Amino acid sequence: MTPQPSQDLDSILRRELLTGERLLWSGRPQPGKLKAAFAIWLFAVPWTAFALFWEAMAFLPWMASTHTPAGIQWSFGIIFPLFGLPFIGVGLSMLWMPFKAQRKAAQTIYGLTDRRLLRVSATGKRESASVMIDQMGPIDVSADADGCGTLRVQTGTSRDSDGDRVTERFEVLAVPGVTRLETLLLEQRSRAG
């Protein structure tokens, strides 16, 4: 699917607005700024390389002109290659993840209204998420020198299966003018409070 043109995403965002809700800010992420998504490659590249090596070694009894007994050739020559296939699949999936994140970012738009912060993605099907201004916790912002950055809003906490505390966040990723969004958001919070 090709990325949605800007005006299409803008109209999709406007259709999400509630009656009487005013849009104060909107922004689209810059996919090229999502370089942190490539950090998974530190794990994915060795994983995939080892899985491919394993698969090559598993096929060795079939390819090499060795005197491998037929029983070993048929048992290990079939079982070991089949065992390696899921690991190759997982590795390729991990290698694809950063590109998938960039593709989704190209089809996403964020908005701040007088009531909430929202995210809408048009990736084949429309996906939206929002958090009401009065339900927001602490905010943190990280921005590059060019003003592009990420805003994270704490929305709550929960416990994971081990009983550890997990902080839930709503993230606005890689948007230009992130400090303007922060200022507008803080103004809306002070008006609401």
Side-chain angles (χ1 to χ4, degrees):
M1 172 173 222
T2 58
Q4 295 284 328
S6 181
Q7 62 272 21
D8 288 349
L9 284 173
D10 287 335
S11 64
I12 290 170
L13 176 64
R14 292 191 184 282
R15 284 196 302 263
E16 290 292 318
L17 299 181
L18 304 171
T19 305
E21 193 172 22
R22 290 182 304 118
L23 183 63
L24 305 173
W25 174 91
S26 69
R28 297 185 61 203
Q30 295 182 348
K33 295 283 186 170
L34 296 174
K35 292 181 177 53
F38 284 92
I40 195 168
W41 278 18
L42 295 173
F43 182 73
V45 169
W47 172 285
T48 307
F50 180 76
L52 290 170
F53 173 75
W54 169 276
E55 199 68 13
M57 293 287 91
F59 276 115
L60 196 57
W62 293 99
M63 302 299 171
S65 61
T66 62
H67 300 290
T68 306
I72 292 174
Q73 189 174 22
W74 280 101
S75 60
F76 290 109
I78 293 173
I79 294 169
F80 279 12
L82 289 175
F83 181 77
L85 289 177
F87 292 94
I88 292 173
V90 168
L92 294 175
S93 176
M94 287 189 293
L95 291 172
W96 174 248
M97 288 170 102
F99 298 108
K100 184 178 177 182
Q102 286 184 334
R103 185 174 179 192
K104 184 171 183 174
Q107 300 167 345
T108 298
I109 189 166
Y110 298 100
L112 174 66
T113 72
D114 54 346
R115 299 181 194 173
R116 62 192 172 135
L117 183 61
L118 61 142
R119 172 183 59 239
V120 180
S121 297
T123 56
K125 62 178 182 176
R126 186 195 57 77
E127 299 174 17
S128 68
S130 66
V131 59
M132 302 303 284
I133 289 177
D134 61 352
Q135 297 173 338
M136 293 181 185
I139 298 170
D140 67 83
V141 174
S142 60
D144 294 338
D146 64 357
C148 185
T150 296
L151 179 135
R152 291 177 185 86
V153 178
Q154 185 175 334
T155 58
T157 58
S158 62
R159 299 263 180 208
D160 66 10
S161 61
D162 295 334
D164 298 327
R165 190 177 194 164
V166 177
T167 302
E168 297 166 358
R169 290 185 171 85
F170 186 94
E171 296 182 326
V172 179
L173 301 170
V175 291
V178 72
T179 53
R180 168 121 173 89
L181 170 61
E182 179 188 26
T183 302
L184 289 169
L185 184 55
L186 291 173
E187 287 172 2
Q188 289 305 307
R189 282 178 64 170
S190 66
R191 287 187 186 133

